[in-house]
Amino acid sequence: MIDALRPFHLAMPVHDLDAARAFYGKLLGCAEGRSSDHWIDFNLFGHQFVAHLDESHAARPIVNIVDGDAVPVPHFGVILAMPQWQVLARRLSTADISFVIKPHIRFAGQAGEQATMFFQDPSGNALEFKAFANDAQIFAAG
């Protein structure tokens, strides 16, 4: 079990701060912290995510096959509680997000079974949000 984790800090490039503000702030519901003309701090489910302006940014993800899905690399996200994950999956589906990998259960019946979904922000950065029915499975070896 994971106890007393500290928040992580992640800074990523975005090509448009207004689009990042709409995506992370309004769609994902991340509270905005400090900002400038070149960056915005967001509270990404208790973690510090900073969108840094790079107007020439173009994501170039590759994919690796995981349980039959073409998973974009690099990607980032948060492991949510299952009820939070279900709410977010519904919100994104209702918002007509174009999923890279639609919400589903991966590794069903195996070690590490998890709910997962992949999508991209407006700058093409890939995100994965996942949840486990049992958090003891987060680092389960198969």
Side-chain angles (χ1 to χ4, degrees), residues 2-3 15 21 34 54 75 78 88 97 101 121 124 133 136:
I2 301 170
D3 295 312
H15 77 285
R21 186 172 271 125
R34 298 173 303 133
D54 175 357
H75 66 264
V78 178
L88 181 59
I97 284 293
I101 300 174
D121 74 6

Side-chain angles (χ1 to χ4, degrees), residues 95-113:
D96 291 326
I97 284 293
S98 178
F99 288 100
V100 174
I101 300 174
K102 293 180 187 279
H104 73 286
I105 301 298
R106 174 188 294 153
F107 306 126
Q110 303 174 48
E113 179 176 307

Side-chain angles (χ1 to χ4, degrees), residues 62-105:
I62 61 167
V63 297
N64 284 327
I65 302 303
V66 178
D67 198 33
D69 290 324
V71 171
V73 177
H75 66 264
F76 67 94
V78 178
I79 299 173
L80 302 173
M82 190 62 76
Q84 284 179 299
W85 184 90
Q86 292 166 332
V87 166
L88 181 59
R90 280 192 300 273
R91 182 183 324 142
L92 295 174
S93 294
T94 301
D96 291 326
I97 284 293
S98 178
F99 288 100
V100 174
I101 300 174
K102 293 180 187 279
H104 73 286
I105 301 298

Side-chain angles (χ1 to χ4, degrees), residues 14-77:
V14 298
H15 77 285
D16 181 321
L17 289 178
D18 289 334
R21 186 172 271 125
F23 181 83
Y24 290 98
K26 294 199 181 338
L27 181 61
L28 294 185
C30 300
E32 187 174 323
R34 298 173 303 133
S35 66
S36 81
D37 293 342
H38 291 56
W39 53 267
I40 306 169
D41 280 346
F42 292 101
N43 178 342
L44 182 67
F45 297 91
H47 303 282
Q48 185 187 40
F49 172 74
V50 186
H52 281 274
L53 182 61
D54 175 357
E55 292 172 345
S56 66
H57 174 67
R60 298 180 343 178
I62 61 167
V63 297
N64 284 327
I65 302 303
V66 178
D67 198 33
D69 290 324
V71 171
V73 177
H75 66 264
F76 67 94

